[in-house]
Amino acid sequence: MSEHTVPQDTARILVVDDDPTVAEVVTGYLVRAGFTVEHAADGPDALRRAGERWPDLVVLDLMLPGLDGLEVCRRLRSAGPVPVIMLTARGDEEHRITGLEVGADDYVTKPFSPRELVLRVTSVLRRSRATAPAAPRAVLRARDLTLDPATRRATRGGTELPLTLREFDLLAYFMEHPRTAHGREDLMRRVWGWDFGDLSTVTVHVRRLRAKIEDDPARPSLIRTVWGVGYAFEPDRTEDPAA
C-alpha cells in the first residue's frame, strides 16, 4: 500500500471490536460526533476493510479472535501510516505497553467513557493532521551513547541498542534537553503527544530505558529521579544513589 493521507473533510474511523455492545456504543458516539464509522468484528476483517479503503484512524481492541490487536496493529503499520487507539483491559499493563511499542498512538482502558474515547480520537486526529516534515536533527552524544534521529539508530559503546519506538523518542528528548527536570505530565505531552493519560506509562518506559543504558539500573546515573517532579537526564553525573 502506498501513501495514505488524511482528508480534510469528515474523518473515517475503523472500529475493531468483537463485542457487539461495545462496538455499537462506540460507533454511535463517534457518528454523533460527526465521524464516518465502519466496524470490523475481528482482525482479518479489519485488515480486509483497511485494504479496501484506508481509514483515517483505527480504534482497535487488543483481545480479538483469530488475530489479536497487537498483530493487527503491526500489519497496519507495515502497510502505511495510520493513527491507532487501542482498547485494553484495566490493569493489563504489559499488553498496554506492548501496544505502544508496536506503534499505537494512544490507549483507553475498559470500562471507559465513550465521551473520553471521542476526545482521544479528536486529539489524535488533530495531531496527525498537524504533523509537518521536521527539520533534520543533529546526531546526539552523551558519554558512550550516540543517537541519530535521522536513522533512528542509537548505540552504546558502539553497540546498537534494541530500543522500542517510545524508548527511542524518550531518550532523544532527554538527550536534547539535558540537566532539566521534566515532570511526567510534561514528558507525556512532549514525547507521547498526549494531553492526558496514565502517568504510569512514563514510569514504565523510564524503567525499561534505564535497563538498557545504565551501568546499574538500580543506581541510575544518566536518568536521575527528581523527587516530587519527575526525571532529569544528567550526562555529567557519575552516580545517583538516591534515584
Side-chain angles (χ1 to χ4, degrees), residues 69-71 73-74 77 86 97-104 164-165:
L70 293 177
E71 184 59 27
C73 186
R74 289 189 186 96
R77 283 304 179 90
M86 284 196 162
I97 297 301
T98 303
L100 295 173
E101 290 173 349
V102 299
T164 66
L165 293 172

Side-chain angles (χ1 to χ4, degrees), residues 53-129:
R53 187 178 179 192
W54 196 250
D56 299 315
L57 182 143
V58 179
V59 176
L60 179 62
D61 187 26
L62 266 179
M63 305 303 291
L64 293 170
L67 199 65
D68 67 25
L70 293 177
E71 184 59 27
V72 172
C73 186
R74 289 189 186 96
R75 296 191 188 187
L76 286 172
R77 283 304 179 90
S78 67
V82 60
V84 175
I85 296 178
M86 284 196 162
L87 305 180
T88 72
R90 186 173 300 277
D92 193 0
E93 181 180 275
E94 189 64 31
H95 281 114
R96 187 165 66 237
I97 297 301
T98 303
L100 295 173
E101 290 173 349
V102 299
D105 296 87
D106 202 345
Y107 67 87
V108 176
T109 55
K110 295 181 177 181
F112 57 86
S113 161
R115 290 188 179 88
E116 178 190 354
L117 179 59
V118 171
L119 289 174
R120 299 285 185 109
V121 167
T122 302
S123 176
V124 170
L125 279 173
R126 183 175 64 247
R127 293 199 307 268
S128 68
R129 286 176 165 173

